[in-house]
């Protein structure tokens, strides 16, 4: 495993039998019982994703909304305080830098 970081949920993932892999410098779970069974479980019930390996930044100020409207693909103005929106940050040529939560 070398110098891979561990999230606060690392031990839980290991105890629960997750298949752990290197991802973005972290030792992360990729699956537990298999892609199909996990897909169906999430579709029928609920899923949980460990976000503790992800970066975080705050956007504030008078131009914050305009900045987020320009740099993400969804309508940030539709959000109410306390809501979250799954979106992505596109590149100038139509590709995607990464997905994100606003």
């Amino acid at each position: 495993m070398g110098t891979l970081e561990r999230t606060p949920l690392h031990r839980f993932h290991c105890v629960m039998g997750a298949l752990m892999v290197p991802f973005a410098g972290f030792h992360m779970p990729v699956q537990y019982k298999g892609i199909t069974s996990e897909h169906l479980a999430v579709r029928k019930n609920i899923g949980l994703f460990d976000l503790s390996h992800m970066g975080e930044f705050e956007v504030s100020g008078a131009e914050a909304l305009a900045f987020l409207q320009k740099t993400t693909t969804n309508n940030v103005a539709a959000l109410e305080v306390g809501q979250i929106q799954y979106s992505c940050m596109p590149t100038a040529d139509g590709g995607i830098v990464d997905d994100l939560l606003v």
Side-chain angles (χ1 to χ4, degrees), residues 6-15 20 27 29 32 48-52:
R6 294 181 176 188
T7 72
L9 296 175
H10 182 269
R11 186 170 186 278
F12 172 82
H13 293 307
C14 292
V15 167
M20 304 294 286
H27 195 221
Y32 286 88
L48 189 65
F49 183 71
D50 183 353
L51 300 176
S52 55

Side-chain angles (χ1 to χ4, degrees), residues 62-78:
E63 299 299 317
L65 178 60
F67 172 77
L68 291 171
Q69 291 289 69
K70 192 172 191 171
T71 57
T72 65
T73 58
N74 289 335
N75 182 10
V76 178

